[in-house]
Amino acid sequence: MTSTVTRPPYADVVDLDAYPIHRLDSDPGQALVARCRAELAADGVCNLPGFLTPAAAARMVALAEELADRAWRSDQTHTIYFEPVDDTVPAEHPRAHTVRSAKRGIAYDYIPPDAPLRRLYESDDMTRFIAAALGIATLYRSADPLDALQMTAFHPGEELGWHFDRSEFSVTVMYQQPEAGGEFVYVPGLRTADDPNYAGVQAVLQGDPSNTRVLPSAPGTLAFFHGHNALHRVTPIEGARPRINSVLTYGEVPDMKLNDLTSQLFYGRMSR
């Protein structure tokens, strides 16, 4: 009797030979999880080049162009902590320092159900893989109708200013790099829960490059990043071609949604 193996609905999206997320209990699956955990422990980041098939990455680029008129364009200044400026400290102090972030976000509810990344994001296999790679027992997809999975385009002159993430981790997928600029630059472990390391943070903000790293991000790359204690940015885009990527939102509690203020800031409308 011949057995058949059912192809996952995202088999055209992920290179399953290199990244067997549908078979995490297999030896190759366990090796993949071990690789991710080791890279995260060593560097605070795990980079998986070629995770997406070239066709899936190209389709997401085309989709970003098709939905360009629905993208919410934001251009704002903010502190690296996403908190109000602290007027009680000197102007050069990190809590008084402001940066610029300018980007265009396409919300989850605009991404069609058959889009490659939406099919992948909504699969339980992907959720289990993300949880296993992060060493988290149970992980949930976001319940936010705008923020669960979004696409971001950075056009010429746009950038993401230095900041620490409010969440412990982020998951991103790269679709297209610009002609120049648009580098993801980070400083791993710059602060801890017990030490904000204001002197070290201030040195980076004033241009000290000694501990900065650039994360390679070719089209199709999936990346895990511990951004809560790693200062990071995306440098200004140069050339005509935009930088396009997605952020996949997960958390350890169910029914996660943005608050109204953050929803308005990121998408120009309320998520509920």
Side-chain angles (χ1 to χ4, degrees), residues 89-123:
V89 298
E92 65 273 14
H93 191 282
R95 292 203 167 274
H97 186 93
T98 59
V99 298
R100 172 183 180 247
S101 288
K103 58 183 180 177
R104 308 173 194 210
I106 300 171
Y108 183 43
D109 62 348
Y110 288 148
I111 301 174
D114 64 347
L117 250 292
R118 180 156 182 168
R119 287 187 284 120
L120 178 61
Y121 176 74
E122 292 177 353
S123 73

Side-chain angles (χ1 to χ4, degrees), residues 82-168:
F82 293 108
E83 296 172 351
V85 171
D86 188 342
D87 295 325
T88 68
V89 298
E92 65 273 14
H93 191 282
R95 292 203 167 274
H97 186 93
T98 59
V99 298
R100 172 183 180 247
S101 288
K103 58 183 180 177
R104 308 173 194 210
I106 300 171
Y108 183 43
D109 62 348
Y110 288 148
I111 301 174
D114 64 347
L117 250 292
R118 180 156 182 168
R119 287 187 284 120
L120 178 61
Y121 176 74
E122 292 177 353
S123 73
D124 291 339
D125 286 350
M126 183 65 170
T127 305
R128 282 191 288 266
F129 167 58
I130 300 297
L134 293 169
I136 296 173
T138 304
L139 208 57
Y140 300 90
R141 294 186 289 274
S142 170
D144 196 291
L146 306 184
D147 191 58
L149 167 68
Q150 51 97 333
M151 300 174 67
T152 301
F154 294 87
H155 286 252
E158 296 177 338
E159 63 182 302
L160 189 61
W162 285 115
H163 65 283
F164 291 105
D165 288 344
R166 303 300 293 266
S167 59
E168 288 296 327

Side-chain angles (χ1 to χ4, degrees), residues 43-72:
D43 303 318
V45 62
C46 173
N47 226 30
L48 303 179
F51 185 84
L52 292 193
T53 64
R59 174 57 189 145
M60 294 305 293
V61 171
L63 187 59
E65 295 170 352
E66 294 168 16
L67 297 174
D69 61 342
R70 296 194 174 188
W72 174 252

Side-chain angles (χ1 to χ4, degrees), residues 228-246:
H228 186 68
N229 292 327
L231 193 65
H232 54 286
R233 68 177 299 197
V234 173
T235 61
I237 308 304
E238 302 173 24
R241 187 171 64 237
R243 180 187 197 269
I244 305 173
N245 74 307
S246 274

